[in-house]
């Protein structure tokens, strides 16, 4: 993403847009290994809600084919989860789009 | 007027919304922005803890999150005073500007400020070069925090940690239960449904409470802007003397950090997150105002803790620290 020219950044306009945004809270539900965490990780990645250093941390790890990011590792934040490849406890993650802010609870399979 | 003094008529969100979190509960015709919802949820948490616990305390770390949390505490009990003290864990390595700011804020809002230091470790010359960062943090932060809480018999401690900061923090409850040794067991956390918080503890056990759990870094800066909350000058870009090591800008606060023959250079930079000076890198930046910071935030590709050495000293290092009693 290009760096914004800060002198021209229309802060009040930006904040007004932000104030119009709804907040939606939702959670995943599904059986073990259905791909819930992978989907959430992908959503975070595609909405640019994860930072480069966080992606760097998980590259080359996890259960996916070489060269592919295991997106579940973005939400499976505990060491035991990353080692076992399962979600053990709920993780709350945040992302936003142009219209809405989201709080996602990624749950363990059940 | 001193900007640190909270005056409700001067702020953007004029009333303190008392309803609970979640758009579904908002009465028709009353729409809260997401910041107002976050504010309402945090105020609800602050009041719950103040009424449920014998001896709550607010861990005040002087950074942006603490500054927001402090303002929320003022609002939650306004026009009364904040009904608990502030506790600062001083490692002896905080930036001088932070300490001046801390004392000025506490004085101007009339809050009771307690400072706790692990004096034996500080006297023994503990630093991250002599020890590694992990053991240094263990002594100067975690041990000091556990000792301070025990010394004053606090049973609930507010912290300004946010879930979006770090992957293991995303796993935290709002009421984070700690056993009698202050430890966190991420695999044995209590259910926390909607806005129902379970504050039951046995003697010796404590909880950590995170009223800003659902705030993001962006929310925090927007709130600081809208509420005109004072923050430490180190967050704003200025020419500062730094040791420059590739991409890393290291503050010159502590002489032992200099490599042999290393000379500081003037760099226009700011801090994105405030920690101990030996372990907190600055970033090159031109952001001199809060709107500049918000604009910069939109363009950032690295997380705010990327410049914190202590988060990267080993795989899962924040989780390990939290298990040991860090917050
Ligand atoms: N082929 C294929 N595999 C997928 C897809 N999504 C996830 N997976 C794989 O399915 C496995 C489980 O994915 P997770 O995201 O950890 O599943 P989960 O539902 O979060 O599992 P629990 O949290 O343990 O209940 C991993 O090996 C993923 O790489 C998909 O769309 N296609
Ligand atoms: Mg999962």
């Amino acid at each position: 993403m290009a760096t914004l020219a800060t002198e021209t950044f229309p802060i009040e306009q930006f904040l007004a847009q932000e104030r119009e945004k709804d907040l939606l809270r939702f959670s995943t539900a599904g059986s073990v290994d259905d791909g819930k965490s992978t989907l959430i990780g992908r959503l975070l990645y595609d909405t640019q809600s994860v930072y480069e250093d966080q992606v760097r941390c998980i590259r080359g790890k996890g259960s996916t084919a070489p060269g592919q990011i295991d997106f579940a590792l973005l939400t499976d934040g505990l060491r035991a989860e990353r080692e076992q490849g399962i979600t053990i406890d709920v993780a709350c993650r945040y992302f936003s789009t142009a219209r809405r802010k989201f709080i996602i609870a990624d749950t363990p399979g059940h | 007027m001193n900007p640190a003094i909270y005056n409700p008529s001067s702020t953007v969100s004029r009333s303190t919304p008392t309803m609970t979190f979640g758009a579904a509960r908002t009465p028709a015709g009353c729409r809260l922005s997401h910041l107002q919802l976050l504010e309402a949820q945090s105020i609800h948490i602050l009041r719950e803890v103040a009424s449920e616990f014998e001896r709550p305390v607010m861990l005040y770390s002087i950074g942006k999150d603490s500054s927001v949390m402090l303002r929320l505490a003022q609002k939650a009990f306004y026009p009364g005073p904040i009904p608990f003290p502030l506790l600062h864990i001083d490692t002896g390595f905080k930036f001088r500007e932070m300490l001046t700011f801390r004392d000025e804020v506490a004085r101007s809002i009339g809050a009771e400020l307690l400072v706790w230091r692990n004096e034996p470790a500080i006297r023994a010359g503990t630093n991250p070069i002599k020890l590694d960062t992990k053991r240094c943090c263990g002594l100067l932060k975690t041990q000091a925090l556990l000792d301070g809480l025990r010394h004053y018999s606090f049973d609930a401690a507010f912290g300004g940690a946010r879930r979006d900061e770090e992957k293991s923090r995303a796993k935290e409850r709002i009421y984070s239960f700690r056993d009698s040794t202050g430890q966190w067991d991420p695999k044995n956390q209590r259910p926390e449904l909607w806005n129902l918080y379970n504050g039951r503890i046995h003697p010796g056990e404590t909880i950590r409470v995170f009223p800003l759990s659902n705030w993001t870094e962006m929310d925090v800066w927007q709130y600081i802007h809208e509420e005109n909350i004072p923050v430490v000058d180190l967050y704003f870009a200025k020419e500062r003397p730094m040791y420059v090591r590739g991409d890393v800008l290291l503050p010159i606060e502590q002489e032992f950090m200099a490599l042999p023959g290393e000379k500081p250079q003037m760099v226009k930079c700011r801090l994105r997150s405030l920690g101990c000076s030996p372990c907190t890198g600055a970033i090159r930046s031109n952001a001199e105002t809060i709107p500049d910071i918000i604009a910069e935030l939109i363009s950032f590709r690295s997380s705010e803790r990327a410049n914190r050495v202590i988060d990267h000293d080993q795989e899962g290092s924040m989780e390990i620290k939290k298990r040991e009693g860090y917050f």
Side-chain angles (χ1 to χ4, degrees):
Chain A
M1 197 189 294
T3 312
L4 292 164
T6 53
E7 315 82 57
T8 58
F9 180 64
I11 181 76
E12 287 313 325
Q13 194 188 325
F14 172 75
L15 292 176
Q17 266 168 24
E18 290 278 295
R19 272 193 286 270
E20 285 308 304
K21 286 185 184 177
D22 293 331
L23 186 62
L24 180 72
R25 308 216 287 174
F26 70 103
S27 124
T28 56
S31 301
V32 174
D33 270 0
D34 272 359
K36 301 178 290 298
S37 304
T38 307
L39 177 65
I40 297 301
R42 183 84 216 193
L43 279 172
L44 292 171
Y45 187 81
D46 286 353
T47 55
Q48 279 152 30
S49 313
V50 282
Y51 291 115
E52 282 168 0
D53 52 306
Q54 295 166 330
V55 175
R56 212 176 305 129
C57 275
I58 62 163
R59 261 185 213 285
K61 298 191 181 147
S63 62
T64 45
Q68 296 206 320
I69 301 175
D70 184 350
F71 290 101
L73 297 180
L74 288 173
T75 64
D76 287 341
L78 299 175
R79 277 187 308 162
E81 294 177 324
R82 292 192 292 278
E83 281 156 15
Q84 297 168 35
I86 54 163
T87 306
I88 296 170
D89 199 281
V90 179
C92 289
R93 298 301 306 249
Y94 305 81
F95 70 96
S96 61
T97 59
R99 282 173 42 206
R100 237 177 232 116
K101 303 237 172 193
F102 297 88
I103 302 181
I104 333 157
D106 180 35
T107 62
H110 35 260
Chain B
M1 196 196 77
N2 184 329
I5 296 172
Y6 166 57
N7 173 355
S9 63
S10 72
T11 61
V12 174
S13 43
R14 274 164 208 90
S15 65
T16 298
T18 51
M19 65 206 63
T20 51
F21 194 56
R25 298 192 183 206
T26 311
C30 171
R31 192 190 164 280
L32 298 184
S33 71
H34 83 279
L35 268 188
Q36 288 170 315
L37 280 168
L38 291 172
E39 177 190 62
Q41 185 194 31
S42 302
I43 287 177
H44 171 72
I45 296 162
L46 287 155
R47 290 177 178 161
E48 280 285 298
V49 172
S51 59
E52 257 183 310
F53 287 84
E54 300 278 329
R55 271 182 78 70
V57 65
M58 180 167 280
L59 301 174
Y60 177 69
S61 72
I62 320 173
K64 59 185 185 300
D65 304 311
S66 285
S67 301
V68 165
M69 187 165 65
L70 188 59
R71 171 61 55 86
L72 291 165
Q74 288 180 277
K75 284 195 167 198
F77 305 101
Y78 188 83
I82 299 174
F84 36 75
L86 310 180
L87 174 63
H88 178 228
I89 302 301
D90 182 10
T91 58
F93 289 127
K94 298 299 171 188
F95 293 86
R96 280 177 282 267
E97 284 169 85
M98 291 172 72
L99 301 183
T100 321
F101 180 88
R102 172 194 75 187
D103 296 341
E104 170 59 22
V105 164
R107 196 194 49 73
S108 68
I109 68 171
E112 183 190 352
L113 173 70
L114 307 170
V115 176
W116 190 269
R117 293 155 57 99
N118 184 345
E119 288 296 352
I122 292 175
R123 262 199 310 276
T126 303
N127 76 42
I129 302 289
K130 249 165 87 175
L131 300 180
D132 52 59
T133 54
K134 185 169 164 275
R135 282 187 292 164
C136 185
C137 274
L139 286 167
L140 298 181
K141 290 182 172 170
T142 308
Q143 193 58 46
L145 174 60
L146 295 173
D147 291 347
L149 293 177
R150 201 169 308 118
H151 176 84
Y152 292 104
S153 315
F154 291 125
D155 55 357
F158 294 106
R162 293 177 283 106
R163 287 176 179 145
D164 91 318
E165 264 179 284
E166 203 278 336
K167 55 188 183 296
S168 64
R169 284 188 167 161
K171 294 275 163 184
E172 269 282 15
R173 300 289 188 266
I174 289 175
Y175 275 31
S176 173
F177 177 80
R178 303 300 168 104
D179 67 16
S180 54
T181 58
Q183 306 208 332
W184 179 56
D185 182 0
K187 289 203 216 166
N188 186 21
Q189 301 195 72
R190 294 175 171 183
E192 194 162 79
L193 304 171
W194 298 285
N195 55 351
L196 303 175
Y197 304 110
N198 181 353
R200 180 175 292 195
I201 51 171
H202 292 107
E205 295 169 345
T206 57
I207 59 158
R208 305 284 169 81
V209 186
F210 302 109
L212 304 185
S213 286
N214 287 327
W215 296 57
T216 61
E217 188 182 10
M218 178 59 100
D219 297 328
V220 164
W221 280 113
Q222 285 185 19
Y223 194 73
I224 288 171
H225 177 73
E226 301 217 354
E227 295 279 324
N228 199 17
I229 299 173
V231 290
V232 186
D233 208 42
L234 292 162
Y235 283 118
F236 300 106
K238 246 196 200 167
E239 295 279 341
R240 295 188 171 91
M242 292 277 153
Y243 298 124
V244 181
R245 299 182 192 163
D247 284 345
V248 179
L249 303 178
L250 214 58
I252 58 153
E253 295 264 317
Q254 301 294 337
E255 275 166 22
F256 65 80
M257 293 304 291
L259 300 173
E262 193 175 24
K263 292 271 174 297
Q265 302 171 26
M266 293 301 282
V267 187
K268 188 156 189 191
C269 61
R270 67 183 199 88
L271 292 169
R272 191 170 164 197
S273 154
L274 295 183
C276 294
S277 62
C279 293
T280 308
I283 53 168
R284 289 174 196 273
S285 166
N286 286 316
E288 294 173 5
T289 64
I290 292 171
D292 291 349
I293 291 178
I294 292 175
E296 197 182 68
L297 205 50
I298 299 172
S299 67
F300 272 149
R301 303 305 306 135
S302 297
S303 76
E304 65 191 292
R305 298 194 71 95
N307 60 343
R308 293 280 206 113
V309 179
I310 59 164
D311 287 6
H312 312 291
D313 43 18
Q314 72 191 99
E315 149 77 1
S317 63
M318 175 67 85
E319 178 185 344
I320 296 167
K321 287 193 183 69
K322 284 171 66 62
R323 280 167 174 273
E324 289 166 351
Y326 187 59
F327 81 96

